[in-house]
Amino acid sequence: MSQNDSRTTPFDTLLVANRGEIACRVMRTARAMGLRTVAVYSDADANARHVREADEAVRLGPAAARESYLKVEAVVEAAKRTGAGAIHPGYGFLSENGAFVQALDAAGITFVGPPASAIAAMGDKSAAKARMANAGVPLVPGYHGDDQDDALLKSEADKIGYPVLLKASAGGGGKGMRVVEAPEQFQAALDGCRRESQAAFGDTRMLIEKYLTQPRHVEVQVFCDSHGNGVYLFERDCSVQRRHQKVLEEAPAPGMTAELRREMGEAAVRAAKEIGYVGAGTVEFLLDADGSFYFMEMNTRLQVEHPVTEMITGQDLVEWQLRVAMGEALPLKQEELTITGHSFEARLYAEDPEQDFLPATGKLERFAMDLKGAGLDPRQVRLDSGVETGDVVSMHYDPMLAKLIVHGDDRDQALSTLNRALAALDVQGVVTNRAFLQRLATHPAFRNVELDTRFIEKNEATLFAPKQYSIEEYAGAALIGLNQLARECESDSPWDRHDGFRLNAPHTIRISLCDPSIAQVHDAEGVVVVEGTRASGADPWDLTIGGETLTARLQHLEGDAVAVTLNGHRRRLQARRDGNVVVMVDPRGETRLFWRRIDAIDHGHHEAESTLTAPMHGTVVALLVEAGQKVEKGMPLMVMEAMKMEHTMTAPADGHVESFHFNAGDTVGQGDVLLEFAPVE
């Protein structure tokens, strides 16, 4: 039955119809309230953290979401089997599926969320715009009609004026959404959006909106109960995004006046009441530079970024959800809600920002955060995670691993805490965006609140600029490499070594250091040679780098923490080796340097690849050219999809495709050869 049904009764068992960090987070509050928890899982998640932490767990089906987490009948049957009186959907999957809510109503199971009618009202974005206009909520100019003819959509985009934003009518989370800068780009963008929308939502309808060039993305947390009460728990700024997916969020939104906060909050509550909303919801607005704001959409569920609202209000929003689902009134009235301090949330993804944010897979060899070593107060730092050391990150689901949430007395203090906490986060075995998050959080424009939804795009040159390494960074990486080589040499015969060993003379080793991005190019340019000399294993190293000599010592601390001392200057940082790459992290950011023995440097030349390999596990969506066709460098060749996002493979040089190894619909593994390519001689 719906949670706003007058027959709603308390329940003692909660099934969480989700996975990962949100499933773990919901179960944490449920247990604190004395509820028994039930997890559901796919074959890929049989030993996942949310399964391990639940009181009971039920298998839904194979790894593919459509055969497991999206199977309504399987989830309902799991609830019946375990005696769960209520289901919390988390976000994603079935959280905004009206048919799922109706199935629960029919089964007499409480849905911890809004009624199906409210989901339907906001699920169709075109119809939602009309409802919002009726409620007096400002709208962005656009086309929201039912006629989906390609020519008509193109005509409407031309009328609105470019740039325009194409959005899946049934969409969310950045899926099926693209900015079209010019008329000639429209058809290709429309085709891509429809493919993504069909794959994610089973719906290809599109709407078009005027794309504001410098808006901020500010959303309001609303909450309604079944007794007619509604409040807003203030706002969050989610302007820092990539591919229309949020990366950093903060609350409250910087620069907000009390009047603007009230206007946006009251508009959000009007929007919720217009559709008979019950539970937690988020009304998203575009805030223009002149203070005008426009309704964008309403998410009829708990948001990924809800913890920042919890941090500044002191409220547990999942507890509010569960109590409202039990038929209780809202715990607080509007005038009783207050803001304390400032909060940030950073989303940790398994992806490689240096490779166009390609999703990554693999085994987490280590997943930990050293708060004590970083001098952080655990009351001010929260890590909502769905993984632990030893877990496997698969290709089947969203690549988000965890959310790092911090709190401070003001924005500057919270931002400082965020930087230190990111530095204390140690993830090994899978490529993540942790270093990129640090670059964002320390960027001068972000610190100065120069925010809009194109923040990453506008600051791309500095966010992705080649790093200029200091002599201290070279020395730190060299120390780790030298100590490794020294340990390897301890058990070897000195007569077999080629590292400068001489009887009764200091031990000397020469190594090279360079940025990992050029490590495999075998080019001497950009390579720094370090000569390390020491008399015995107990003595410090004398490092010679570019004509400068430093006295250096390395001390191993707890975990991966080390102390690097250079000419009496001691610095603590996290340090580890990833193959021949030394990774060093401190509150100022991350340093990655490739090292090798000087006699291993190869000055050969890099040749163009004659094959194109898959950069990730995924599915081939489309082949864009034919075998034998001549192509130019950068021309799209094929489209892959992984973790609900498309990635286009392009020609590495001028030439032609000799043959494809896979067809549309085939599953490929990371490193699989996708096609044979013949570059122009």
Side-chain angles (χ1 to χ4, degrees):
M1 65 188 70
S2 301
Q3 69 174 39
N4 64 334
D5 192 305
S6 60
R7 297 170 295 163
T8 298
T9 57
F11 43 85
D12 60 12
T13 301
L14 178 71
L15 184 147
V16 183
N18 217 296
R19 63 178 302 280
E21 65 84 18
I22 187 58
C24 295
R25 186 267 171 276
V26 170
M27 288 191 286
R28 184 172 67 243
T29 289
R31 287 193 298 269
M33 294 176 66
L35 300 177
R36 194 164 57 93
T37 59
V38 179
V40 290
Y41 63 92
S42 70
D43 289 344
D45 282 339
N47 193 41
R49 181 177 176 179
H50 76 282
V51 175
R52 299 194 298 267
E53 292 187 356
D55 295 313
E56 294 185 50
V58 179
R59 176 185 177 272
L60 294 177
R66 64 181 178 276
E67 299 178 42
S68 52
Y69 294 106
L70 290 173
K71 287 185 68 174
V72 171
E73 63 276 14
V75 175
V76 174
E77 179 57 33
K80 292 179 178 178
R81 180 177 172 183
T82 57
I87 291 181
H88 194 301
Y91 46 74
F93 294 137
L94 297 172
S95 62
E96 295 178 285
N97 187 313
F100 177 54
V101 180
Q102 292 172 343
L104 295 186
D105 285 348
I109 299 170
T110 297
F111 177 68
V112 184
S117 58
I119 293 175
M122 285 298 177
D124 186 325
K125 289 182 170 51
S126 296
K129 300 287 185 180
R131 296 288 295 270
M132 294 303 98
N134 185 61
V137 180
L139 300 178
V140 178
Y143 174 75
H144 317 121
D146 294 329
D147 191 336
Q148 293 289 301
D149 178 73
D150 286 15
L152 177 79
L153 293 178
K154 171 66 164 52
S155 173
E156 291 294 333
D158 292 344
K159 289 179 187 177
I160 295 167
Y162 296 89
V164 298
L165 183 64
L166 269 174
K167 296 173 66 175
S169 185
K175 311 299 188 301
M177 182 186 300
R178 297 188 187 187
V179 176
V180 186
E181 299 283 356
E184 58 271 19
Q185 301 172 2
F186 186 85
Q187 190 61 50
L190 179 62
D191 293 342
C193 282
R194 281 179 168 161
R195 281 196 303 268
E196 286 185 6
S197 183
Q198 178 63 39
F201 316 111
D203 191 321
T204 60
R205 291 172 302 148
M206 292 286 127
L207 58 82
I208 309 171
E209 292 179 348
K210 177 65 179 175
Y211 186 65
L212 304 179
T213 56
Q214 287 188 305
R216 286 169 58 185
H217 183 146
V218 176
E219 61 187 29
V220 177
Q221 176 71 61
V222 295
F223 231 108
C224 300
D225 62 24
S226 56
H227 304 279
N229 302 309
V231 299
Y232 59 92
L233 288 89
F234 313 111
E235 78 289 336
R236 304 180 283 254
D237 192 302
C238 309
S239 299
V240 181
Q241 306 174 5
R242 57 107 178 99
R243 292 175 178 164
H244 305 290
Q245 289 189 312
K246 301 159 190 172
V247 180
L248 283 176
E249 298 101 356
E250 60 182 300
M256 290 286 287
T257 64
E259 182 181 4
L260 182 56
R261 174 171 292 128
R262 178 183 55 78
E263 289 179 359
M264 293 183 74
E266 291 177 353
V269 173
R270 287 200 307 274
K273 290 190 173 183
E274 167 69 21
I275 60 171
Y277 200 81
V278 177
T282 302
V283 182
E284 304 196 354
F285 295 103
L286 290 176
L287 177 63
D288 216 347
D290 63 1
S292 302
F293 61 92
Y294 305 98
F295 173 83
M296 185 164 50
E297 63 183 356
M298 181 176 184
N299 291 300
T300 53
R301 53 171 166 77
L302 193 69
Q303 288 281 84
V304 177
E305 58 273 18
H306 75 274
V308 292
T309 295
E310 294 182 322
M311 285 288 206
I312 65 166
T313 61
Q315 305 301 314
D316 184 329
L317 297 189
V318 173
E319 181 178 348
W320 277 43
Q321 283 188 296
L322 295 174
R323 294 199 179 282
V324 167
M326 292 177 180
E328 297 181 17
L330 293 178
L332 297 174
K333 294 181 174 61
Q334 188 66 60
E335 60 271 19
E336 296 175 305
L337 290 164
T338 57
I339 296 175
T340 301
H342 202 93
S343 180
F344 285 96
E345 174 181 293
R347 301 189 187 191
L348 183 73
Y349 286 99
E351 64 183 12
D352 188 354
E354 311 303 326
Q355 300 295 323
D356 196 27
F357 296 97
L358 279 178
T361 58
K363 183 179 180 180
L364 285 166
E365 301 296 341
R366 181 174 172 82
F367 188 86
M369 186 164 62
D370 181 14
L371 292 179
K372 182 179 179 181
L376 293 169
D377 184 345
R379 294 171 298 180
Q380 304 299 316
V381 180
R382 167 176 162 183
L383 185 66
D384 283 10
S385 167
V387 295
E388 294 177 319
T389 297
D391 286 348
V392 174
V393 180
S394 77
M395 60 172 277
H396 299 289
Y397 312 113
D398 187 272
M400 189 171 71
L401 301 176
K403 304 179 305 194
L404 178 62
I405 309 103
V406 301
H407 184 267
D409 292 339
D410 54 32
R411 189 176 191 269
D412 287 344
Q413 187 185 88
L415 195 53
S416 176
T417 299
L418 176 64
N419 292 330
R420 296 188 68 84
L422 283 167
L425 190 59
D426 185 7
V427 185
Q428 300 180 28
V430 176
V431 176
T432 75
N433 66 333
R434 191 199 56 75
F436 178 68
L437 291 171
Q438 274 195 287
R439 295 201 297 273
L440 280 172
T442 55
H443 196 281
F446 185 76
R447 298 190 71 92
N448 294 332
V449 199
E450 297 170 16
L451 301 174
D452 64 55
T453 55
R454 301 177 72 182
F455 179 88
I456 292 177
E457 180 183 345
K458 288 181 176 180
N459 295 284
E460 184 175 4
T462 48
L463 286 171
F464 294 96
K467 183 167 182 178
Q468 302 299 314
Y469 299 98
S470 67
I471 192 169
E472 289 80 10
E473 289 173 311
Y474 283 121
L479 270 177
I480 294 166
L482 290 168
N483 276 272
Q484 175 67 23
L485 287 172
R487 285 196 299 270
E488 292 173 356
C489 290
E490 284 175 0
S491 59
D492 298 335
S493 167
W495 313 111
D496 295 329
R497 298 208 299 263
H498 303 281
D499 54 18
F501 169 81
R502 288 183 296 151
L503 192 64
N504 298 322
H507 183 196
T508 298
I509 303 176
R510 299 176 73 231
I511 66 175
S512 70
L513 290 164
C514 66
D515 189 293
S517 65
I518 66 169
Q520 303 306 323
V521 179
H522 309 303
D523 193 338
E525 185 177 352
V527 173
V528 172
V529 176
V530 180
E531 183 174 280
T533 303
R534 68 176 176 180
S536 71
D539 293 326
W541 289 92
D542 287 328
L543 303 182
T544 301
I545 308 173
E548 184 172 347
T549 299
L550 304 169
T551 300
R553 187 185 296 275
L554 180 73
Q555 178 185 4
H556 289 275
L557 306 174
E558 68 281 356
D560 286 331
V562 298
V564 173
T565 303
L566 302 173
N567 286 354
H569 179 200
R570 186 179 186 274
R571 190 162 60 101
R572 177 194 172 93
L573 44 84
Q574 299 290 125
R576 60 181 174 84
R577 286 182 56 223
D578 184 2
N580 268 34
V581 176
V582 174
V583 183
M584 300 181 295
V585 185
D586 67 14
R588 294 177 297 181
E590 178 180 279
T591 297
R592 299 174 67 90
L593 283 166
F594 183 89
W595 69 273
R596 55 188 163 185
R597 291 281 293 273
I598 196 68
D599 53 14
I601 297 179
D602 176 8
H603 295 291
H605 295 286
H606 178 63
E607 298 181 356
E609 294 288 344
S610 61
T611 60
L612 202 63
T613 58
M616 58 190 178
H617 296 282
T619 302
V620 176
V621 174
L623 305 182
L624 305 179
V625 300
E626 296 180 357
Q629 181 176 336
K630 292 183 179 180
V631 298
E632 296 179 351
K633 182 178 180 180
M635 183 174 174
L637 303 179
M638 62 190 301
V639 180
M640 285 184 61
E641 185 271 336
M643 297 180 177
K644 306 178 184 178
M645 297 298 292
E646 285 192 356
H647 176 71
T648 301
M649 312 295 296
T650 60
D654 293 347
H656 70 271
V657 176
E658 293 189 325
S659 63
F660 287 99
H661 289 196
F662 296 93
N663 296 313
D666 290 347
T667 299
V668 299
Q670 185 175 15
D672 285 353
V673 176
L674 299 173
L675 56 86
E676 302 296 331
F677 185 82
V680 174
E681 295 295 336

